[in-house]
Amino acid sequence: MKLLGKYVDKGMQGNVTLMPEESEDMWHAYNLIAEGDSVRSTTIRKVQNETATGSSTSSRVRTTLTIAVESIDFDTQACVLRLKGRNIEENQYVKMGAYHTLDLELNRKFELRKPEWDTIALERIEMACDPTQSADVAAVVMQEGLANVCLITASMTLVRSKIEVSIPRKRKGNVQQHEKGLAKFYEQVMQSILRHVNFDVVKCVLIASPGFVRDQFYDYMFQQAVKMDYKVLLDNKSRFMLVHASSGFKHSLKEVLQDPAVVAKMSDTKAAGEVKVLEQFYMMLQCEPTKAFYGKKHVLAAAEAQSIEILLISDNLFRCQDIHLRKEYVNLVESVRDAGGEVKIFSSMHISGEQLAQLTGVAAILRFPMPELEDSDDDDDEDGAAGGDNSDSD
């Protein structure tokens, strides 16, 4: 996602202008736009023109409209977000208050205004506009003379750099030229890793190639790291993993990511993190039910007691039409963070997010037992408590 403009004042009023560039960006836009927001974008409108003789012709014109959003439909197949609402700004083709549907597509910019921006929406913009924020796996797929340096997020692969170097062939009496070409190639790949891999976020760097290219590059990189004192590489040596790939082209990544050893290594990354936390919650629910609760009522009570160690919450809840309810969930996230707890926001497009939705979309692992929550009456259909209540309501 490209951020083209942003103005949010101290009162959390303002607007942002964004341009979706990848299919993942449409998912972010879907999570950002809520009913009651206003969106401005270009659209095609059919216009009837009456001629002097009284006959009418219709033509299609491109115009810029601002609508107050009343309904949102996300077509995941076509990767289009359809927003329906009334026109709220003067327009020569569309009357004030007339209904119109805006189609947000890839590479079409839009301006979003909210009655009030909250921290969850602003965090989502930051994450959408800086893919490195969520890319916790990096991969270098290479063969002699070709390398692709990629960042892998929970749902997409971004090629950050493609390196192509012509390497002289190994001939008798010309080995030196070959070695020189290889060193030049390896140096460029290493510099690309230093430039594009943020080790504060990335937990694992895969070096994949056919043959021994990966081993030779790995040896070269760490010899240079010692010689040039590249501390960032030396400190993160344990995060590098050498694996086989059939070629240095990007499509080889698919087989690399299916390698069982790679899956095990990646088990600590964000993509697998949600599954791990959910398993932890279910385990706690069985073994220590007074330290695991789900349902709004119980989780809010636990947050009030500052007892939440990990909050599990579905991004679905931040799309609710009820502004007060959304605010309640935003405040819950902020209060858990303020009390030193961890917050895991689950994607409703992932299996783990669907499982959490079956537990009302909000759950918590507590720092200390709260048996009084287990004993409290469960009057609200929406709420489920630990200890065997497997309510399926959402």
Side-chain angles (χ1 to χ4, degrees):
M1 185 93 80
K2 195 178 274 181
L3 181 64
L4 302 175
K6 179 182 171 189
Y7 172 73
V8 178
D9 63 23
K10 284 180 182 172
M12 301 305 265
Q13 307 285 308
N15 57 64
V16 294
T17 305
L18 299 161
M19 188 191 287
E21 295 178 305
E22 312 263 354
S23 53
E24 170 86 350
D25 295 343
M26 297 308 291
W27 171 244
H28 287 306
Y30 175 53
N31 278 287
L32 274 170
I33 300 167
E35 289 174 22
D37 293 351
S38 60
V39 173
R40 181 178 172 83
S41 184
T42 57
T43 185
I44 303 289
R45 182 78 177 186
K46 205 173 184 181
V47 176
Q48 296 283 344
N49 298 311
E50 206 167 291
T51 63
T53 58
S55 63
S56 66
T57 59
S58 69
S59 59
R60 291 162 70 80
V61 293
R62 182 172 285 280
T63 184
T64 301
L65 269 191
T66 307
I67 65 164
V69 180
E70 289 185 20
S71 72
I72 305 158
D73 177 43
F74 184 25
D75 184 341
T76 51
Q77 296 300 307
C79 204
V80 172
L81 206 52
R82 293 193 175 90
L83 311 175
K84 190 179 179 186
R86 292 179 187 272
N87 177 34
I88 56 169
E89 281 185 10
E90 286 292 337
N91 184 284
Q92 67 182 104
Y93 303 112
V94 185
K95 286 180 190 162
M96 286 284 278
Y99 272 105
H100 189 82
T101 301
L102 278 182
D103 282 355
L104 299 188
E105 302 170 320
L106 293 180
N107 302 310
R108 180 179 293 180
K109 70 175 182 177
F110 68 92
E111 182 188 292
L112 172 62
R113 276 181 238 147
K114 283 182 174 289
E116 186 185 341
W117 286 88
D118 57 47
T119 48
I120 300 291
L122 293 172
E123 271 176 24
R124 169 120 359 218
I125 287 176
E126 203 176 309
M127 187 171 82
C129 296
D130 181 6
T132 59
Q133 293 279 325
S134 57
D136 42 18
V137 178
V140 181
V141 274
M142 63 196 304
Q143 62 191 50
E144 267 195 20
L146 170 69
N148 282 285
V149 178
C150 310
L151 294 177
I152 302 161
T153 72
S155 49
M156 65 177 174
T157 302
L158 303 150
V159 177
R160 280 327 222 181
S161 174
K162 187 179 183 183
I163 296 137
E164 289 181 278
V165 172
S166 174
I167 298 169
R169 291 178 65 181
K170 230 181 196 174
R171 290 199 187 93
K172 266 188 181 173
N174 197 22
V175 175
Q176 216 176 345
Q177 290 301 101
H178 176 76
E179 298 292 332
K180 247 187 195 170
L182 265 184
K184 182 185 170 189
F185 171 57
Y186 291 156
E187 180 64 28
Q188 285 188 26
V189 177
M190 180 181 72
Q191 291 302 332
S192 184
I193 290 173
L194 287 167
R195 192 162 53 250
H196 296 293
V197 176
N198 175 4
F199 286 97
D200 292 338
V201 180
V202 170
K203 311 280 192 308
C204 171
V205 183
L206 307 169
I207 310 282
S209 78
F212 297 104
V213 177
R214 57 186 179 274
D215 304 274
Q216 290 165 357
F217 167 67
Y218 180 83
D219 292 343
Y220 172 88
M221 179 166 58
F222 283 102
Q223 281 167 13
Q224 288 299 104
V226 171
K227 197 193 288 182
M228 308 301 289
D229 195 27
Y230 291 137
K231 265 186 82 66
V232 69
L233 291 178
L234 298 170
D235 291 349
N236 292 287
K237 192 171 183 178
S238 62
R239 298 190 188 192
F240 285 83
M241 184 181 185
L242 306 182
V243 283
H244 172 78
S246 53
S247 78
F249 294 95
K250 183 192 162 186
H251 61 75
S252 299
L253 252 185
K254 193 179 175 190
E255 60 180 271
V256 171
L257 294 174
Q258 287 169 344
D259 184 315
V262 172
V263 173
K265 176 81 174 177
M266 283 169 63
S267 63
D268 283 334
T269 68
K270 189 177 173 187
E274 290 180 4
V275 179
K276 214 173 180 182
V277 170
L278 200 59
E279 279 173 10
Q280 200 181 328
F281 174 78
Y282 282 127
M283 187 70 77
M284 192 68 84
L285 203 56
Q286 284 180 320
C287 306
E288 290 184 77
T290 56
K291 283 177 72 178
F293 291 88
Y294 62 88
K296 193 178 90 174
K297 180 180 159 189
H298 292 89
V299 172
L300 285 175
E304 213 169 300
Q306 297 196 342
S307 69
I308 296 180
E309 188 178 348
I310 305 173
L311 174 69
L312 296 73
I313 190 162
S314 169
D315 59 12
N316 237 347
L317 300 179
F318 302 112
R319 286 199 300 275
C320 61
Q321 294 164 31
D322 185 332
I323 290 171
H324 298 293
L325 193 56
R326 178 188 163 100
K327 211 168 230 179
E328 220 174 342
Y329 287 122
V330 171
N331 291 340
L332 170 63
V333 167
E334 289 177 350
S335 71
V336 170
R337 284 177 178 161
D338 290 344
E342 195 182 337
V343 176
K344 295 276 186 189
I345 298 178
F346 283 60
S347 167
S348 53
M349 294 286 261
H350 288 169
I351 297 294
S352 54
E354 287 172 17
Q355 283 179 288
L356 183 61
Q358 290 174 353
L359 299 175
T360 75
V362 62
I365 297 170
L366 309 191
R367 292 191 177 100
F368 50 82
M370 289 187 73
E372 63 273 28
L373 287 186
E374 200 177 26
D375 299 336
S376 69
D377 291 327
D378 190 11
D379 303 323
D380 193 337
D381 284 345
E382 197 186 270
D383 289 341
D389 176 3
N390 284 321
S391 143
D392 211 18
S393 60
D394 189 348

